[in-house]
Amino acid sequence: MERKFNDWLLTLRSSISDYKYYVDFEKVYENINKMKIELNILNSLIGANNFNNEFREICTNYPNTLKCIPILLAVRQYEIEVQTKYKSIKYNFSLKNKELTQSSIDVYLEFMKETGLKNLIQNHVINNLVDYVTGVEVGLDSNGRKNRGGHLMEDLLESYIQELNVQYYKEMYTRDIEKKWHIDLSLLTNAGDVAKRFDFVVKTEHQIYVFETNFYKSGGSKLNETARSYKNITQEIKKIDGVTFVWVTDGQGWKSAKHNLKETFDVLDTLFNIKDLEDGVLKKIIK
């Protein structure tokens, strides 16, 4: 049955985000638990009448509490560098039970004042540092959505491959494919000069299927480059007996690069989207 590109394009999805995509709360709670004791110690500073003296006392008796300071500013590293008008100052908060002097504690106290943390805590702007840092961690975790999104399509495709009950491999380089099954893929690697990795490789009795998968929620120049690249792979793989290239992609972003995508669609019969997977296309092509 002949496929019509425009009809196929209409079935592209706007999102594949699952419930875990937005915030990984398990990771948030794990990060909080690593500093929960120290944060509760610092809670005693909330609304403190004599913040400076109490801060010095905490640093003297519980120097590990200093490791919590960076996360109060939504910073993960323990070393923070500040450029003032006259000099650059480096603060290291990973003391690991090292004894602090009063002069060094005063340096950290100056940091608390100048960054606004002293005002935040002393003036009772917040009620609980554990709750506050939980919110900070949620905000920082949202930055990880891009990485999580990159794996969503791979995870989705893998679930359909697993249904086939076939031998498959993840993230396999051409050199490993050549070595394992004694096949020449030099056409894909410029005679071995370029390392090429496929997201999945499926091996059946008579055929090797190499998979690429991606999802593009929004457009950009990268999509045109991707479509052209996969068109070239298609043309080269057709010259290699026993190997089939399968590209599974989706996302509304392709609508801004549909002309390049159509060029690949016209030469690659095994270009599929999520709707094709749901319709059982892999069971039809993999023998």
Side-chain angles (χ1 to χ4, degrees):
M1 181 178 176
E2 183 181 354
R3 302 193 302 167
K4 295 182 179 180
F5 176 75
N6 288 332
D7 293 340
W8 182 82
L9 199 67
L10 290 174
T11 64
L12 297 181
R13 307 292 168 88
S14 58
S15 173
I16 54 170
S17 304
D18 59 11
Y19 293 112
K20 297 290 187 180
Y21 168 76
Y22 296 98
V23 176
D24 184 349
F25 279 106
E26 290 182 5
K27 180 181 176 183
V28 168
Y29 300 148
E30 181 182 341
N31 290 340
I32 291 295
N33 285 332
K34 291 177 182 177
M35 62 183 88
K36 199 168 187 177
I37 293 174
E38 290 80 4
L39 286 172
N40 278 312
I41 292 173
L42 289 174
N43 267 336
S44 64
L45 292 171
I46 295 176
N49 292 325
N50 196 329
F51 183 95
N52 290 6
N53 285 345
E54 292 189 34
F55 180 81
R56 291 189 183 99
E57 186 176 344
I58 287 175
C59 289
T60 301
N61 296 322
Y62 309 101
N64 266 347
T65 55
L66 283 173
K67 74 179 183 181
C68 300
I69 302 302
I71 197 63
L72 299 181
L73 296 173
V75 176
R76 290 212 186 276
Q77 65 264 27
Y78 287 130
E79 188 172 279
I80 296 179
E81 186 170 0
V82 176
Q83 180 65 51
T84 69
K85 182 178 180 180
Y86 302 104
K87 61 180 177 179
S88 178
I89 308 173
K90 287 186 178 180
Y91 298 88
N92 193 324
F93 294 92
S94 60
L95 300 175
K96 296 183 178 178
N97 294 317
K98 291 182 181 178
E99 186 177 351
L100 291 169
T101 64
Q102 287 304 310
S103 60
S104 63
I105 291 175
D106 286 343
V107 171
Y108 290 110
L109 188 57
E110 182 71 9
F111 180 89
M112 297 291 288
K113 175 186 174 183
E114 294 300 325
T115 57
L117 287 176
K118 178 181 176 180
N119 177 68
L120 177 78
I121 297 171
Q122 184 179 27
N123 292 333
H124 223 302
V125 178
I126 56 174
N127 295 316
N128 187 292
L129 285 171
V130 176
D131 294 342
Y132 170 82
V133 173
T134 300
V136 170
E137 285 287 349
V138 168
L140 289 174
D141 185 75
S142 67
N143 294 329
R145 289 176 187 169
K146 184 176 181 180
N147 290 332
R148 287 195 291 272
H151 292 292
L152 286 174
M153 196 66 178
E154 293 176 14
D155 294 342
L156 182 63
L157 174 57
E158 185 174 11
S159 68
Y160 282 97
I161 291 176
Q162 289 171 339
E163 290 180 359
L164 302 174
N165 195 26
V166 293
Q167 182 183 16
Y168 78 96
Y169 303 84
K170 294 179 66 174
E171 298 182 348
M172 197 171 190
Y173 283 92
T174 49
R175 61 176 178 267
D176 297 319
I177 299 172
E178 290 176 317
K179 183 177 179 180
K180 189 171 186 64
W181 293 298
H182 309 291
I183 190 165
D184 182 8
L185 299 178
S186 58
L187 287 173
L188 305 179
T189 61
N190 192 22
D193 290 339
V194 180
K196 172 61 186 170
R197 187 187 70 179
F198 290 101
D199 293 324
F200 296 96
V201 176
V202 170
K203 178 66 173 71
T204 64
E205 184 177 355
H206 303 291
Q207 196 77 0
I208 297 172
Y209 299 85
V210 292
F211 286 78
E212 288 283 1
T213 187
N214 36 50
F215 184 92
Y216 294 105
K217 192 169 186 177
S218 56
S221 59
K222 183 179 180 180
L223 281 76
N224 289 320
E225 180 184 340
T226 299
R228 285 192 295 266
S229 172
Y230 289 172
K231 180 182 177 181
N232 291 334
I233 291 176
T234 299
Q235 293 169 333
E236 296 300 335
I237 280 187
K238 285 183 176 181
K239 303 172 186 176
I240 306 173
D241 291 334
V243 181
T244 298
F245 176 48
V246 183
W247 180 21
V248 182
T249 191
D250 213 306
Q252 293 289 316
W254 280 116
K255 293 189 175 180
S256 67
K258 62 182 179 181
H259 297 298
N260 290 83
L261 183 62
K262 185 178 186 303
E263 288 184 9
T264 308
F265 184 90
D266 289 341
V267 298
L268 180 58
D269 294 335
T270 50
L271 167 53
F272 305 122
N273 60 19
I274 295 173
K275 178 65 165 56
D276 296 322
L277 294 179
E278 293 173 346
D279 291 341
V281 69
L282 295 187
K283 294 179 181 179
K284 300 173 183 177
I285 68 163
I286 294 182
K287 307 295 183 181

